[in-house]
Amino acid sequence: MKQIHLAAHFPGVNNTTVWSDPRAGSHIEFSSFVHLARTAERAKFDFFFLAEGLRLREHAGRIYDLDVVGRPDTFTVLAALAAVTGRLGLTGTINSTFNEPYEVARQFASLDHLSEGRAGWNVVTSWDAFTGENFRRGGYLPEDQRYQRAKLFLQAASELFDSWDGGAVVADKPSGTFLRDARAGAFEHHDAQFDIAGRFTVPRSPQGRPVILQAGDSEEGREFAAATADAIFTRHGTLDAGRKFYADVKRRLPAYGREPHQLLVLPAATFVLGDTDAEAEELAGIVRYQQVSGQTAIKFLEQVWNRDLSGFDPEGPLPDVEPVTGTQLAKGRAQTRMYRDPVETVRQWRELAEAKNLSIRDLVVEVSGRQTFVGSPSSVAEAINTYVQEDASDGFILVPHITPGGLDEFADKVVPLLQDRGVFRTEYSGTTLRDHLGIDRSADVAAAERKAR
Amino acid sequence: MVHLAVALDGAGWHPAAWREPDARPDELFHPRYWGDLATEAERGLLDFVTIEDSFGPGPDRTDRVRGRLDAVLIASRVAPLTRHLGFVPTAIATHTEPFHLSKAIATLDYVSQGRAGVRVRIASDPADARHFGRREFPVPLPDLAEEAGDWVEVVRRLWDSWEDDAEIRDAATGRFVDRDKLHYIDFTGRFFGVKGPSITPRPPQGQPPVAVLSHVPEIHRLAARAADLVFLTPHDTGQAGALARELGDLLVFADVEVVLDETEQAARDRRARLDDLAEHSSDALVFTGTPAQLADHLLAWRDAGLSGFRLRPAALPHDLTAITRALVPELQQRGAFRREYESTTLRGLLGLDRPVSRYAGATR
């Protein structure tokens, strides 16, 4: 039987994170991060995951205020969490657009040392010019260069990670030999994006390089992941969609000389637990309406209609005005296909609302609901195991909807059931994140690259 | 009362420090080493430790320590192991994004619950610039200093860009934040522009203290414009007093490298042994002697007008332990140093008030 991989995603700044619940705590105090990370480690999860934000989102020219706003710095939180955990992998998103390979490689190599081999990097390709306004280097890249920049960035960073030999630091006091080779860390990298040379300052870290995660569903994203990532971070609601995606990305691996187990498919997943399936369904309904307040529902529609709908009652019928095209009202959130064809989206939604007699808020709950696993602990354990055994995924990155205690019940009730089935570890067998994921390939990669030079 | 900080760097400030009997050169990249140094500094009730950093390549030879970890990450890694000690990692203004560093130091302030600061450094070496490959170097020092001043201005505006009570969680109106308390910083300077607001809420201290090490007038001016705290390198009491008067609006610390042993002779012998192994020239005074002699020296400089001292241990952990276990009790006996921590924040330890956001009360 396949072993399941599980990770804990710190809840983010979108309407799936319920802040209005009395149990909802701070999204910025360090104690919240400690709570979630320690829960994940107690449950023997593979890793903790932290997303990144570089500009506050806007809606109609004003800062969006209905969801959680504010995030910490990824590297800083992960380094601090290394002090309060012992085995848990520590992964985070760092974009390749508003950073430089030398600095990012240095930070990840430092994190890998400071966590004794637990660092992971979710490489994202780009944000837009809106985000670029926060950076002195400014600007952004046209879409056709996004993956080129990301690829070259990762390539440059990998060269830096590999620029120190594992045995370079001798530190022999009697002979006075600190380094075996005075040229340790030497690098030179010239391509369409980067023109850099010098000496990397961080000796080879315990994992050699961080675990590479890649989020992305597009054709280019899949190909990029197949070529370079250790795990692909995705989102697929159904078993069938998951299986198709899984087969597709694993099929791409041989072209890069890689085995299927070298790229793990780890979809993001949410869950709602109850004592019984019926109770969980009922709770899930409550959560959906907590996630979609009346105000949130109106803002959600405004993104599609692209116009002010504040005069409409969220408990009433869908707006009888037509959507307008042009400059997007919403900035700083991922654009989905839905917004690209607003007229068609509105037509479908009206049809749906009429057929089911839905108010604005009901409709938004219906179309934006993203609860992956709803049920009793045993039903959820069964469903997760089915996804993994039937090759729809290799595990899940779980996104609780409550901060910071939203994973507690899962850890206490679902994890033991997976352990009973023999599909999830009861103890960590290794010390590094690569050990947990079973993807220790850094040595052959380094060797291959040295050979190629 | 004097303020005492210790400057942590590799195996110590003397290039031969890594060969000392109690040195741990094979652990310089291990978190345990840094954790031990930080907890030792806290045991001595020190105000803060600085952690050096540089993008520079280091010496191209095999008999010196080379390699270093990111200073902000070292500070974050060890801050949760302590409760009172301040952490002032070095940030390189020349090649980094102020937006990233602003949120990183704010986050260090969250993970340490109010004990973060930052020492801002300029990188004028073309070798550093080649690591980034984006700019023509060299750049004249006045330009680098002006750029660093803008960098600090942006970092500080971003810290203020959220008012303290911006997060309201108002269930009735469904609003998580009061967006009238979030502010665009709209900075435009000669070198770059940044829009804001920060992605990270205002840090616990409001403004974590900013420090600058200065040897020359251009950087003195940068310190006066941008810093709360300046590290200077006087070599005698007269110079110390003159510098303190010149930069008296700031907290003025003298940097002193220290070689400390129980007897003056032992310290001199150790210094000679280190110097025999590696040549060493320092920008700062290198004090060689006993903790009691150092206490005399520091108190004379305090009387000349200095606020405190950033001691650079020639060798770690030896000279750090001499500071925490011998110098500190000596100063305490003379009534010149705290006997327990009087504050849980770095600003509090330094006697700085918590400022309100510059944008408080402003409307967009």
Side-chain angles (χ1 to χ4, degrees):
Chain A
M1 272 192 296
K2 279 169 76 184
Q3 290 293 300
I4 296 170
H5 296 283
L6 291 174
H9 188 316
F10 192 86
V13 297
N14 51 53
N15 71 298
T16 58
T17 306
V18 173
W19 56 262
S20 55
D21 191 287
R23 294 167 298 166
S26 172
H27 287 79
I28 194 71
E29 295 297 337
F30 185 50
S31 56
S32 289
F33 297 90
V34 173
H35 183 118
L36 186 73
R38 284 191 170 153
T39 305
E41 184 159 274
R42 173 162 62 82
K44 317 297 178 198
F45 273 33
D46 294 60
F47 60 90
F48 172 97
F49 183 88
L50 190 60
E52 185 188 34
L54 297 174
R55 174 112 191 231
L56 299 186
R57 294 180 293 151
E58 286 182 4
H59 186 95
R62 300 198 69 194
I63 289 166
Y64 191 75
D65 58 359
L66 301 181
D67 295 338
V68 169
V69 181
R71 300 170 186 262
D73 178 64
T74 301
F75 283 119
T76 313
V77 166
L78 296 180
L81 286 175
V84 297
T85 55
R87 296 289 185 95
L88 187 68
L90 300 165
T91 72
T93 300
I94 294 293
N95 86 89
S96 57
T97 306
F98 306 113
N99 281 295
E100 297 299 326
Y102 181 79
E103 193 184 1
V104 168
R106 203 170 173 273
Q107 288 166 310
F108 270 115
S110 296
L111 180 64
D112 206 43
H113 278 286
L114 293 167
S115 64
E116 297 174 74
R118 299 188 276 142
W121 174 13
N122 180 36
V123 185
V124 300
T125 49
S126 160
W127 270 289
D128 48 14
F130 173 73
T131 306
E133 287 180 356
N134 278 336
F135 295 92
R136 58 158 142 185
R137 319 254 188 248
Y140 72 108
L141 290 170
E143 202 161 336
D144 60 346
Q145 284 181 33
R146 288 172 50 175
Y147 281 101
Q148 187 208 32
R149 164 104 183 174
K151 248 178 239 168
L152 297 175
F153 193 107
L154 188 56
Q155 215 167 66
S158 297
E159 281 170 32
L160 295 169
F161 294 136
D162 291 340
S163 66
W164 286 71
D165 197 282
V169 176
V170 182
D172 183 56
K173 292 184 196 179
S175 67
T177 309
F178 186 80
L179 285 184
R180 179 161 291 139
D181 172 7
R183 288 184 51 80
F187 69 93
E188 191 162 339
H189 180 102
H190 307 285
D191 62 35
Q193 292 282 340
F194 307 106
D195 188 15
I196 59 178
R199 294 293 161 84
F200 191 51
T201 69
V202 187
R204 191 162 182 82
S205 70
Q207 294 189 107
R209 59 174 80 170
V211 166
I212 303 297
L213 286 85
Q214 159 70 30
D217 203 13
S218 66
E219 178 64 23
E220 277 182 303
R222 294 178 190 205
E223 206 58 32
F224 180 40
T228 58
D230 300 305
I232 183 160
F233 180 18
T234 160
R235 189 185 279 284
H236 287 282
T238 67
L239 188 64
D240 276 349
R243 292 179 67 171
K244 277 200 189 95
F245 179 82
Y246 190 96
D248 178 76
V249 293
K250 299 256 176 175
R251 194 176 52 227
R252 294 169 193 254
L253 292 167
Y256 300 96
R258 302 179 64 196
E259 306 276 331
H261 74 274
Q262 289 178 315
L263 177 67
L264 299 177
V265 177
L266 300 176
T270 60
F271 58 91
V272 177
L273 297 170
D275 287 344
T276 62
D277 288 350
E279 190 191 307
E281 277 300 342
E282 195 184 322
L283 282 172
I286 295 169
V287 171
R288 286 186 200 116
Y289 281 84
Q290 281 182 311
Q291 290 169 330
V292 181
S293 68
Q295 297 93 328
T296 296
I298 295 291
K299 298 290 183 210
F300 189 89
L301 287 202
E302 285 183 351
Q303 288 170 42
V304 177
W305 262 259
N306 211 31
R307 60 189 287 177
D308 181 8
L309 301 175
S310 56
F312 290 87
D313 176 6
E315 310 299 340
L318 260 57
D320 48 9
V321 297
E322 294 312 305
V324 294
T325 49
T327 315
Q328 286 295 326
L329 217 55
K331 284 186 171 162
R333 23 169 116 231
Q335 301 290 305
T336 70
R337 210 169 293 283
M338 163 175 102
Y339 307 141
R340 290 186 184 153
D341 191 357
V343 176
E344 173 58 17
T345 304
V346 166
R347 193 191 62 76
Q348 287 173 11
W349 284 1
R350 282 187 176 139
E351 219 166 75
L352 182 65
E354 194 163 336
K356 294 193 169 185
N357 193 27
L358 304 176
S359 70
I360 287 176
R361 192 173 172 203
D362 297 334
L363 174 97
V364 173
V365 164
E366 180 95 7
V367 301
S368 70
R370 276 180 168 177
Q371 286 156 335
T372 322
F373 299 111
V374 176
S376 67
S378 68
S379 299
V380 168
E382 192 56 50
I384 287 176
N385 194 35
T386 299
Y387 269 77
V388 173
Q389 303 309 334
E390 296 193 4
D391 285 345
S393 81
D394 293 306
F396 290 94
I397 298 179
L398 297 173
V399 196
H401 58 268
I402 299 276
T403 306
L407 193 66
D408 297 1
E409 200 184 354
F410 189 95
D412 293 335
K413 295 181 179 169
V414 181
V415 168
L417 297 176
L418 294 172
Q419 291 169 332
D420 288 347
R421 284 170 164 81
V423 293
F424 191 66
R425 70 173 69 83
T426 52
E427 281 305 330
Y428 290 106
S429 56
T431 59
T432 68
L433 176 55
R434 282 188 188 281
D435 291 340
H436 305 339
L437 295 172
I439 47 163
D440 197 357
R441 62 184 193 94
S442 54
D444 4 289
V445 172
E449 284 184 6
R450 253 194 300 281
K451 223 164 144 190
R453 250 176 238 160
Chain B
M1 292 288 167
V2 296
H3 295 288
L4 272 190
V6 162
L8 301 178
D9 187 20
W13 286 74
H14 196 289
W18 70 273
R19 299 182 64 181
E20 284 288 281
D22 66 348
R24 293 154 62 180
D26 51 343
E27 285 200 352
L28 299 180
F29 313 106
H30 196 283
R32 181 169 50 227
Y33 175 73
W34 295 96
D36 288 350
L37 295 177
T39 49
E40 182 61 33
E42 182 160 86
R43 178 192 165 118
L45 307 178
L46 302 184
D47 291 72
F48 60 90
V49 291
T50 60
I51 300 168
E52 297 300 304
D53 207 350
S54 163
F55 290 148
D60 218 355
R61 48 196 294 176
T62 58
D63 62 342
R64 299 283 166 89
V65 166
R66 206 172 76 220
R68 58 166 77 248
L69 305 182
D70 181 273
V72 176
L73 293 195
I74 292 174
S76 312
R77 173 62 178 79
V78 298
L81 306 177
T82 58
R83 295 186 57 189
H84 292 94
L85 184 69
F87 288 92
V88 182
T90 295
I92 316 293
T94 309
H95 301 293
T96 61
E97 294 288 347
F99 191 87
H100 286 318
L101 264 299
S102 177
K103 68 183 158 62
I105 301 301
T107 303
L108 178 61
D109 210 35
Y110 278 103
V111 305
S112 64
Q113 295 179 282
R115 297 182 283 131
V118 61
R119 177 244 168 146
V120 177
R121 186 175 172 182
I122 285 169
S124 54
D125 187 343
D128 292 23
R130 286 175 66 225
H131 290 161
F132 293 85
R134 302 188 60 136
R135 299 169 65 175
E136 291 298 316
F137 257 69
V139 171
L141 185 60
D143 287 346
L144 289 174
E146 188 186 336
E147 181 191 47
D150 286 358
W151 187 98
V152 177
E153 174 69 16
V154 166
V155 166
R156 287 186 179 280
R157 286 194 199 181
L158 288 168
W159 286 336
D160 277 346
S161 67
W162 288 57
E163 294 184 42
D164 291 319
D165 49 359
E167 184 179 314
I168 52 171
R169 295 185 183 231
D170 184 34
T173 57
R175 293 174 306 148
F176 183 81
V177 288
D178 177 355
R179 58 189 170 194
D180 289 336
K181 294 184 174 180
L182 301 178
H183 303 275
Y184 295 99
I185 69 166
D186 282 325
F187 179 88
T188 311
R190 245 180 86 198
F191 306 92
F192 53 83
V194 176
K195 179 78 180 173
S198 180
I199 193 83
T200 306
R202 193 160 190 255
Q205 295 183 99
Q207 291 277 323
V210 176
V212 170
L213 168 64
S214 179
H215 303 98
V216 294
E218 288 90 339
I219 310 298
H220 285 5
R221 281 194 290 278
L222 167 65
R225 172 187 169 195
D228 302 288
L229 184 61
V230 60
F231 306 135
L232 300 167
T233 53
H235 282 252
D236 59 52
T237 312
Q239 217 184 11
L243 287 168
R245 281 189 296 281
E246 186 186 337
L247 288 158
D249 290 341
L250 302 172
L251 286 165
V252 182
F253 279 42
D255 267 22
V256 182
E257 185 173 332
V258 296
V259 183
L260 297 173
D261 281 292
E262 279 177 31
T263 66
E264 192 177 334
Q265 193 56 47
R268 286 184 190 286
D269 290 349
R270 194 159 61 89
R271 166 98 185 264
R273 192 172 79 224
L274 287 164
D275 287 347
D276 280 348
L277 290 172
E279 266 178 52
H280 178 38
S281 64
S282 178
D283 55 327
L285 176 75
V286 182
F287 180 91
T288 308
T290 68
Q293 289 170 330
L294 178 59
D296 293 341
H297 182 88
L298 299 186
L299 294 180
W301 282 20
R302 174 199 61 180
D303 294 342
L306 293 179
S307 320
F309 304 92
R310 185 175 78 138
L311 303 178
R312 305 182 188 174
L316 290 168
H318 183 99
D319 292 301
L320 170 63
T321 313
I323 291 165
T324 53
R325 303 191 190 196
L327 173 68
V328 163
E330 182 72 34
L331 289 169
Q332 286 171 331
Q333 272 169 29
R334 301 187 196 192
F337 193 65
R338 68 171 64 87
R339 288 179 178 276
E340 59 184 38
Y341 278 111
E342 69 275 15
S343 171
T344 58
T345 70
L346 178 55
R347 289 190 78 91
L349 293 177
L350 294 173
L352 299 170
D353 292 335
R354 186 180 187 282
V356 295
S357 161
R358 75 193 63 194
Y359 301 107
T363 48
R364 288 185 51 220

